Amino acid sequence: MCEKFNCCTEKRLRECFGHAGGRLTGPRRAMVDFFHMEKGHFTAEEVFEKLSEKYPGIGVATVYRTLSAMADFGILKRFDFGKGKVKYELSDGHEGVRHHHHLVCSACGKILEYDDFMDEEKAFFNKIKKTLSTRYNFLIKGHSLHFYGFCQKCQKEYEKAK
Amino acid sequence: MCEKFNCCTEKRLRECFGHAGGRLTGPRRAMVDFFHMEKGHFTAEEVFEKLSEKYPGIGVATVYRTLSAMADFGILKRFDFGKGKVKYELSDGHEGVRHHHHLVCSACGKILEYDDFMDEEKAFFNKIKKTLSTRYNFLIKGHSLHFYGFCQKCQKEYEKAK
DNA sequence: ATACTATTGATAATGAATATCAATAAGAGG
DNA sequence: CCTCTTATTGATATTCATTATCAATAGTAT
């Protein structure tokens, strides 16, 4: 249960789901657990399939709904790499999750994480954010950065195709 | 016609569409023209609607196909801001198009462009790219950066909702 | 334990994007 | 300029991720 990780206390979860009488149900606890156990990024479909083993009978609709709620509240981060399916992952600040960015393979869809330059990136983005906020009158809540190209496996095929 | 802009010569277009007997057709010319006249980012649906006025009878399928081809070849840039619809815009290097990034409003979907820090950003990204390429054995072809949050109009409603 | 009602899960519906295919038109060769 | 080959078009059907519907179920306040 999430209480084991002191990043998501029951209190925090009730806050997430509980605006105006929300309930901390079995499926919701299972979803939270899932993302704390399995590290990485998953599509709704993947969550549904993997979770079905541990929590048989859960419905797709519930998975989609809960993912949305968790992402809206900030427990999950939503990614869209342009492959038609949205991916979710535990957001920064959770136990064992460091701020990171992604390398996305345009051929096979594989996603690598990196956090090599996070200090520099943070400094860089913070500076930019501050200026853009005032200059464009835009309240910045976050950013999304990823590099796309070809992973090791797909590079040869790309060279051939070209 | 695109010949007017010396960024997209007929030769270049034939190269784009013409791998192995490709043809430079009316609809394709119309699509290229469209993106050179109308600056900005458009969904396939928007291109279809706006283009239908100037080029009646064009089909949705053709629009989708041509957008894909142009993006694959590099004339267009593909964006996915996670609103379920893909957007396209003329890529850098075309007449009047400077490298830029985007501010995306999570509420109304409005997109602002900025190119305030491009020199710094370029330097920063080039440095990162170089290191990541070798360290992760990843052939980097490009990057995507955008900031999301709330535009001026939507900020008040956001404050209320919170 | 009881009652109230938010949530669930099965299923239908939506909507963007893709596949199908007969009709059309680009462009090579005569 | 005309003919022929075939890539492309556009109408339409189809796919597939995500959302809406709604009766049944299960939190939780009393």
Side-chain angles (χ1 to χ4, degrees), chain B residues 1-17:
Chain B
M1 199 54 45
C2 203
E3 203 66 40
K4 280 180 285 183
F5 316 94
N6 48 20
C7 50
C8 275
T9 60
E10 178 148 339
K11 190 186 168 205
R12 179 133 196 267
L13 293 181
R14 287 196 183 278
E15 216 182 307
C16 170
F17 298 115

Side-chain angles (χ1 to χ4, degrees), chain B residues 48 60 67 86 92 101 114 155:
Chain B
F48 173 71
V60 241
L67 286 172
V86 175
D92 310 345
H101 289 135
Y114 77 89
Q155 279 175 40

Side-chain angles (χ1 to χ4, degrees), chain B residues 29-41:
Chain B
R29 285 180 194 273
M31 293 274 294
V32 172
D33 279 10
F34 175 84
F35 275 96
H36 280 81
M37 306 302 288
E38 311 267 341
K39 306 290 185 188
H41 14 67

Side-chain angles (χ1 to χ4, degrees), chain A:
Chain A
M1 198 55 44
C2 204
E3 203 66 39
K4 280 179 284 184
F5 317 93
N6 50 18
C7 49
C8 275
T9 60
E10 178 148 341
K11 189 184 170 205
R12 180 134 195 268
L13 294 181
R14 288 198 182 277
E15 216 182 306
C16 171
F17 297 116
H19 39 63
R23 293 169 185 179
L24 200 39
T25 66
R28 284 175 177 173
R29 285 180 194 273
M31 292 274 294
V32 172
D33 278 9
F34 175 85
F35 275 95
H36 280 82
M37 305 303 287
E38 310 267 342
K39 306 290 185 188
H41 15 65
F42 302 94
T43 64
E45 196 190 358
E46 287 165 349
V47 173
F48 173 69
E49 282 177 6
K50 298 210 174 200
L51 196 53
S52 290
E53 298 167 14
K54 293 188 178 180
Y55 200 95
I58 194 168
V60 240
T62 303
V63 170
Y64 277 101
R65 276 185 301 236
T66 310
L67 286 173
S68 263
M70 289 167 76
D72 288 346
F73 185 72
I75 292 178
L76 295 182
K77 243 182 172 179
R78 212 186 312 249
F79 286 102
D80 199 328
F81 295 119
K83 283 290 173 191
K85 296 184 189 182
V86 175
K87 290 203 162 196
Y88 295 86
E89 69 179 13
L90 215 52
S91 59
D92 311 345
H94 286 262
E95 204 117 337
V97 181
R98 260 180 302 184
H99 187 58
H100 61 268
H101 290 135
H102 299 99
L103 303 173
V104 186
C105 180
S106 301
C108 69
K110 184 177 180 180
I111 295 174
L112 296 176
E113 299 182 357
Y114 76 89
D115 61 355
D116 301 56
F117 305 95
M118 284 310 133
D119 288 339
E120 292 171 67
E121 286 193 9
K122 257 180 197 163
F124 185 68
F125 285 127
N126 280 337
K127 183 191 148 199
I128 290 186
K129 273 181 199 175
K130 210 167 286 180
T131 311
L132 292 179
S133 294
T134 56
R135 197 172 292 175
Y136 293 94
N137 238 301
F138 198 92
L139 179 62
I140 295 178
K141 302 299 288 181
H143 66 266
S144 157
L145 168 66
H146 63 263
F147 292 94
Y148 53 89
F150 297 92
C151 72
Q152 191 163 18
K153 271 190 189 173
C154 295
Q155 279 175 40
K156 290 167 197 166
E157 294 173 32
Y158 170 72
E159 289 302 333
K160 254 188 270 177
K162 204 177 54 172

Side-chain angles (χ1 to χ4, degrees), chain B residues 124-140:
Chain B
F124 185 68
F125 284 126
N126 281 337
K127 184 190 147 198
I128 290 186
K129 273 181 200 176
K130 212 167 286 181
T131 311
L132 292 178
S133 295
T134 57
R135 196 171 291 176
Y136 293 94
N137 237 300
F138 199 92
L139 178 61
I140 294 178

Side-chain angles (χ1 to χ4, degrees), chain B residues 71-111:
Chain B
D72 288 345
F73 185 72
I75 292 179
L76 295 183
K77 243 183 173 178
R78 214 186 310 250
F79 287 102
D80 200 326
F81 295 119
K83 283 289 174 192
K85 296 182 187 180
V86 175
K87 290 203 163 196
Y88 295 86
E89 69 178 12
L90 215 51
S91 60
D92 310 345
H94 285 264
E95 205 116 337
V97 181
R98 263 180 299 186
H99 188 59
H100 61 268
H101 289 135
H102 299 99
L103 304 174
V104 185
C105 180
S106 301
C108 69
K110 184 178 181 179
I111 295 173

Side-chain angles (χ1 to χ4, degrees), chain B residues 34 46-59 63:
Chain B
F34 175 84
E46 287 166 348
V47 173
F48 173 71
E49 283 178 6
K50 296 210 177 200
L51 197 53
S52 290
E53 298 169 14
K54 294 187 178 180
Y55 200 94
I58 194 168
V63 170

